[in-house]
Amino acid sequence: MHADITLTVDGRRHQLRVDTRTTLLDALREDLGVTAPKKGCDHGQCGSCTVLLNGRRVVTCLVLAVAGDGAEVVTAAGLAEGGDLHPMQEAFMDHDAFQCGYCTPGQICSAVGMLDEAAAGWPSAATPPRASAEGAVAELDDTEIRERMSGNLCRCGAYAGIVSAIGDAARRTHAAAASGIPRPAREGGRR
Amino acid sequence: MDFLSPDTWAGALAAKAARPEAVPVMGGTDVMVELNLGRRRPHALLDLTRVPELARWGAEDGYTRVGAGVSYTRLVERVGSRAPALAAAARSVASPQIRNRGSVGGNLGGASPAGDCHPPLLAAGALVELASAAGVRRVPASEFYLGPGRTVRREDELVAAVLVPEPRGPQVFAKVGPRNAMVIAVVSFALALDVAARRAGTGIGSAGPTPLRARAAEEFLAREFDWAGGADPSPEAARRFGDLVAGAARPIDDVRGSAAYRRHALAVLARRAWARCAAEVRGGGV
């Protein structure tokens, strides 16, 4: 059985016909040629297919394309605005937060979704019970970042760089929000 | 594969009545794994993500009613203080991406003996609300599970909600696995105390064909617990409690752990759970 669906991907609206068994990941990669989300495990373990689906990070291998009809998808390729990289992408480059790069688009989408979740006061398993009961916004130390990024694996083991890149991006975003600047300015040069 | 996508609860129940073999799917975090790995080839899926009623929660006659489609993330954020053990389990499920999609309803529908939500539901004395086009019934969690993947839910029924009693004392949840994320529990354990009634509820996960209660352990704790002062148990009482919990389990050897290890770990978790509840009573956090 096939279904006609509409997906908005990185700001572009697509109408497509999919087999009802097709995952969102396969629809993006095979039908639309959007290859930023990567297929790692195909059963939700590795996080390399993470995108923002209607603003929340999800693994696209576990979403049926037909169930995503009408949804808005943002992949790592759609985070940049114009010629400027997203601050999270800048931070990943500044901190050497990858080696082979296969998990990177998923890591970056996950990190962007994670900062939104933390800013909304969502607790993690690393948040002290009392702080989470009070709904206090968690301070994103390395333990919090590691726990909140635990759905994304990196087989190269670039975790040290990933954690520091996300911490840096969180501080830049926080500073920009405090000063009312919508997008943080780039710090330093790219290697 | 047919894909049924009703956008009302009445429509969902009518669809299930017409196609009882249709596999209900919410976030897809269990069902999709089976599909992708080719373990299951259903003729029809019943997608429930567009049913607004399932995403609701609210207070109801001393219970918190949580719609079967409330995601783990939302459960932790919005319902956490009204169902502490369930929220603790919810925030340990899989990974953040999975928690943004997965739901208690899916955990109950799948009914894996290792599902994280089951021990807290058993310990807290929760009810499972099942609905069909013919009507609604509420089943105590302790009567819901029949075997691995099997429950009292009939083919024409859907899980509508869980009803968790208002907490009347400390509640804790703990599980054992190789790491925090993406773990199918080797064992899990939940303890919920009712301080006013001086009663205890327990739930054991991943150590039997179904999630289990440890009733002898509950009675022992109810007698021995320092309800007024929250003093730590004596080493003998703690050991006895751990042994009673371990004794209620019916574990097997499998790839995640041996039966002997599971019994041992359960006893440890049970002793810690008592100590944590006692500390909470001492701290006056009840």
Side-chain angles (χ1 to χ4, degrees), chain A residues 20 42 50 57 61 122 152, chain B residues 1 36 73 77 97 100 179:
Chain A
T20 52
D42 212 24
T50 301
R57 52 176 169 162
C61 69
W122 295 7
N152 291 80
Chain B
M1 184 183 78
N36 289 0
T73 299
E77 185 200 16
Q97 289 98 315
N100 280 344
R179 64 187 277 247

Side-chain angles (χ1 to χ4, degrees), chain B residues 116-150:
Chain B
D116 290 320
C117 294
H118 312 313
L121 294 176
L122 284 173
L127 307 175
V128 181
E129 184 178 305
L130 299 168
S132 71
V136 176
R137 60 182 175 135
R138 290 174 171 176
V139 181
S142 55
E143 296 167 21
F144 179 73
Y145 311 100
L146 298 179
R150 291 190 304 113

Side-chain angles (χ1 to χ4, degrees), chain B residues 264-278:
Chain B
H264 172 81
L266 266 177
V268 174
L269 293 186
R271 295 198 298 265
R272 286 184 192 164
W274 183 329
R276 284 168 60 190
C277 286

Side-chain angles (χ1 to χ4, degrees), chain A residues 1 20 23 42 44 50 57-58 61-62 64 66-67 69 110 117 122-124 127 132 147-148 150-152, chain B residues 1-3 27-29 32-33 36-37 41 45 50 73 76-77 91 95-98 100-101 179-182:
Chain A
M1 184 185 163
T20 52
T23 63
D42 212 24
T50 301
R57 52 176 169 162
V58 305
C61 69
L62 298 187
L64 279 174
V66 61
D69 184 21
S110 188
E117 293 170 8
W122 295 7
S124 81
T127 311
S132 59
E147 171 58 32
R148 288 171 187 265
S150 57
N152 291 80
Chain B
M1 184 183 78
D2 293 335
F3 189 78
T29 56
M32 290 298 295
V33 173
N36 289 0
L37 299 183
R41 291 187 167 273
L45 282 187
R50 292 174 201 275
T73 299
V76 172
E77 185 200 16
R91 71 182 192 183
S95 70
Q97 289 98 315
I98 306 278
N100 280 344
R101 297 280 302 174
R179 64 187 277 247
N180 267 5
M182 296 311 304

Side-chain angles (χ1 to χ4, degrees), chain A residues 54-135:
Chain A
N54 298 326
R56 293 288 171 222
R57 52 176 169 162
V58 305
V59 283
T60 48
C61 69
L62 298 187
V63 179
L64 279 174
V66 61
D69 184 21
E72 185 165 338
V73 176
V74 175
T75 74
L79 288 170
E81 278 177 21
D84 295 329
L85 290 179
H86 187 280
M88 190 63 74
Q89 294 170 318
E90 288 285 358
F92 266 63
M93 298 189 70
D94 292 344
H95 290 263
D96 278 340
F98 50 85
Q99 184 174 313
C100 82
Y102 195 81
C103 72
T104 311
Q107 298 276 3
I108 287 175
C109 281
S110 188
V112 169
M114 181 273 269
L115 292 191
D116 275 353
E117 293 170 8
W122 295 7
S124 81
T127 311
R130 198 151 308 270
S132 59
E134 289 162 3

Side-chain angles (χ1 to χ4, degrees), chain B residues 176-187:
Chain B
V176 173
R179 64 187 277 247
N180 267 5
M182 296 311 304
V183 155
I184 300 173
V186 180
V187 287

Side-chain angles (χ1 to χ4, degrees), chain B residues 64-232:
Chain B
T64 303
R65 185 181 182 278
V66 182
V70 174
S71 70
Y72 294 120
T73 299
R74 202 139 279 260
L75 175 72
V76 172
E77 185 200 16
R78 296 293 168 86
V79 192
S81 59
R82 302 174 64 93
L86 183 60
R91 71 182 192 183
S92 80
V93 172
S95 70
Q97 289 98 315
I98 306 278
R99 293 194 287 274
N100 280 344
R101 297 280 302 174
S103 61
V104 180
N107 223 206
L108 288 165
S112 159
D116 290 320
C117 294
H118 312 313
L121 294 176
L122 284 173
L127 307 175
V128 181
E129 184 178 305
L130 299 168
S132 71
V136 176
R137 60 182 175 135
R138 290 174 171 176
V139 181
S142 55
E143 296 167 21
F144 179 73
Y145 311 100
L146 298 179
R150 291 190 304 113
T151 68
V152 299
R153 183 179 65 82
R154 295 191 315 261
E155 273 243 293
D156 66 331
E157 285 179 317
L158 293 169
V159 178
V162 290
L163 290 99
V164 187
E166 297 275 351
R168 296 201 184 92
Q171 298 189 358
V172 300
F173 170 80
K175 74 176 178 185
V176 173
R179 64 187 277 247
N180 267 5
M182 296 311 304
V183 155
I184 300 173
V186 180
V187 287
S188 59
F189 181 69
L191 179 61
L193 302 189
D194 182 335
V195 173
R198 303 198 165 191
R199 274 202 310 257
T202 56
I204 295 171
S206 229
T210 66
L212 297 163
R213 278 178 65 179
R215 291 177 194 270
E218 292 172 6
E219 287 163 20
F220 177 78
L221 184 143
R223 282 196 308 274
E224 297 290 326
F225 194 80
D226 179 13
W227 295 101
D232 275 330

